[in-house]
């Protein structure tokens, strides 16, 4: 984790989760270098500073939607993004879990070696 605070580091990751993908609380905790603080990632979602972030894309490791209060909204939002679910309304994690390290970034032409 950098000089940023814990919550700010969490918010930075949550903001990067692309539409049609989900991340788990534990995954986010590992990504910021605090692997045993998954529960605190959830606590960070309760901060009014983060209301604008795509928290519907953060789920439990079994693919279940975490917010019972906003279950229907989260479920509909994820379905609208193309996320598929099991019969018991859990995200099909093997297909939709965000893997930023394996998803390729668009190539930048400035990085290509020039050949003459």
């Amino acid at each position: 984790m950098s000089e940023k605070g814990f919550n700010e580091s969490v918010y930075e990751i949550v903001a990067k989760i692309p539409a049609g993908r989900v991340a788990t609380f534990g995954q986010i905790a590992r990504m910021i270098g605090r692997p045993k603080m998954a529960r605190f990632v959830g606590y960070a979602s309760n901060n009014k500073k983060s209301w604008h972030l795509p928290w519907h894309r953060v789920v439990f490791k079994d693919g279940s939607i975490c917010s019972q209060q906003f279950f229907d909204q989260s479920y509909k939002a994820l379905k609208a993004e193309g996320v598929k679910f099991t019969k018991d309304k859990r995200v099909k994690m093997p297909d939709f879990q965000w893997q930023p390290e394996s998803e390729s970034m668009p190539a930048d032409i400035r990085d290509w070696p020039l050949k003459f």
Side-chain angles (χ1 to χ4, degrees):
M1 191 167 67
S2 67
E3 293 182 26
K4 290 180 237 149
F6 180 85
N7 284 5
E8 289 77 18
S9 296
V10 169
Y11 302 154
E12 190 174 280
I13 298 296
V14 173
K16 293 178 182 179
I17 304 170
R21 295 281 183 223
V22 297
T24 68
F25 292 99
Q27 177 183 0
I28 293 169
R30 287 188 302 278
M31 290 174 77
I32 63 171
R34 305 296 294 268
K36 295 184 180 194
M37 295 188 71
R39 182 177 305 259
F40 292 92
V41 171
Y43 294 154
S45 72
N46 293 322
N47 190 318
K48 290 180 183 177
K49 290 181 185 179
S50 74
W51 66 269
H52 64 286
L53 295 173
W55 286 104
H56 65 283
R57 296 180 189 147
V58 182
V59 298
F60 291 120
K61 66 182 176 182
D62 68 354
S64 58
I65 295 173
C66 50
S67 174
Q68 291 306 311
Q69 181 181 3
F70 300 106
F71 179 88
D72 289 335
Q73 289 173 303
S74 297
Y75 180 75
K76 288 176 185 175
L78 289 170
K79 281 192 72 101
E81 292 178 1
V83 174
K84 304 288 185 217
F85 291 83
T86 62
K87 289 180 182 181
D88 61 349
K89 295 188 176 180
R90 295 175 194 259
V91 173
K92 292 185 175 182
M93 294 302 284
D95 298 327
F96 296 97
Q97 185 170 9
W98 181 42
Q99 301 295 337
E101 61 280 351
S102 65
E103 292 181 15
S104 63
M105 297 296 293
D108 188 328
I109 196 165
R110 294 172 294 184
D111 294 333
W112 292 1
L114 296 175
K115 295 182 181 178
F116 296 95

